[in-house]
Amino acid sequence: MSTWLFGGLLGGGADVGCVSDAQADRTMQEIRQQWPLRPSLDPVAVAVQDLGRRLTRTVDPQRQRRWEFAVVRNLEPSAFALGGGRFVVSDGLVAFVRSESELAAVLAHEIAHQQLDHFCRQAPRSAERIDLGGVTQHFDLKTELEADAKAVDLLTAAGFDPQAMAAVLRCLTQAPGGSSPQLAKRLNALRAIPAASTSRSQTDSPAFRRARESVQEDLGEWNGGETVCR
């Protein structure tokens, strides 16, 4: 499993500048051309959209901007922030997480990139650059640490378990090839945030449970996070 797939910024090849709605739409169109997406009314897509709305309501209660959450039919656990309020997660991620709060944590992390204006910063030379067809991933530890901390705030405000942010990172370290110095630094940074260690009991919604079961059935023998997480 490639740990860079959780977190980071996707853009249409640009290394600098805020992402406009038009740029985000073009990037989303490129993704649609390269990977199949679940229809917007698909139960899995609806469950992800509902989670996204619950989180974004904490930062945009008047719904003044457009927010879009799409699900890619792909086995690899992944999450992308495209800028312009557009986000993409994969089937593999829905199967990989062990709870609704963990999926919310990944979404909160990506939303945090948007809220912290990470798309308006020039990618540093030290950032890892990964090209995925027509789109480009930039992975920079500093922005990941900032997004992790902001995600804890978003989870708390939306009523999810704030410990889920660290839990999903620990899960990544247990995946084959998942252990890395970057993940260790992110976990250490979360330990220094009191709210990230505050447990809040959560029961997964029926919609999330149905969505996860549906994805696991589609993926067959590969059963996501339960194979690697303890």
Side-chain angles (χ1 to χ4, degrees):
M1 179 183 302
S2 302
T3 58
W4 59 265
L5 285 170
F6 170 41
L9 311 176
L10 270 177
D15 292 323
V16 64
C18 299
V19 177
S20 67
D21 285 347
Q23 288 173 313
D25 283 339
R26 285 195 297 271
T27 304
M28 181 66 79
Q29 184 59 36
E30 291 177 13
I31 289 174
R32 287 192 178 98
Q33 292 172 356
Q34 295 179 55
W35 298 289
L37 297 185
R38 287 185 177 269
S40 59
L41 296 181
D42 178 279
V44 177
V46 170
V48 171
Q49 291 162 16
D50 287 346
L51 271 182
R53 279 192 291 269
R54 181 172 166 183
L55 289 162
T56 56
R57 196 175 295 121
T58 67
V59 297
D60 183 19
Q62 302 302 318
R63 314 306 291 174
Q64 294 181 343
R65 71 165 306 126
R66 174 183 169 189
W67 301 93
E68 181 179 344
F69 299 84
V71 182
V72 177
R73 302 296 300 268
N74 189 281
L75 173 67
E76 192 77 31
S78 58
F80 309 144
L82 308 181
R86 279 45 155 209
F87 307 90
V88 178
V89 302
S90 68
D91 275 356
L93 178 67
V94 177
F96 178 79
V97 298
R98 296 160 297 175
S99 69
E100 192 168 26
S101 283
E102 287 190 3
L103 181 56
V106 178
L107 290 176
H109 175 96
E110 301 305 331
I111 293 167
H113 280 304
Q114 175 86 48
Q115 292 305 110
L116 294 169
D117 292 331
H118 286 166
F119 291 95
C120 299
R121 300 182 189 177
Q122 183 171 1
R125 292 183 179 181
S126 60
E128 183 178 1
R129 179 186 174 107
I130 302 168
D131 292 318
L132 301 172
V135 293
T136 301
Q137 173 93 18
H138 294 117
F139 185 94
D140 173 55
L141 181 59
K142 183 176 184 292
T143 59
E144 296 309 301
L145 293 173
E146 293 173 352
D148 287 344
K150 180 66 174 178
V152 171
D153 293 339
L154 293 176
L155 289 169
T156 302
F160 291 104
D161 183 2
Q163 283 190 336
M165 187 71 254
V168 75
L169 290 178
R170 282 194 297 270
C171 190
L172 281 172
T173 66
Q174 296 175 25
S179 181
S180 71
Q182 291 82 2
L183 279 177
K185 290 177 181 177
R186 290 171 69 179
L187 281 167
N188 285 336
L190 283 172
R191 292 188 186 102
I193 301 174
S197 301
T198 303
S199 178
R200 176 180 292 176
S201 179
Q202 287 285 307
T203 301
D204 292 340
S205 68
F208 170 78
R209 290 198 299 268
R210 289 192 297 269
R212 189 167 185 267
E213 289 169 359
S214 175
V215 170
Q216 289 177 330
E217 289 176 2
D218 289 347
L219 297 181
E221 294 181 359
W222 188 85
N223 63 349
E226 292 178 352
T227 63
V228 296
C229 296
R230 298 186 291 273

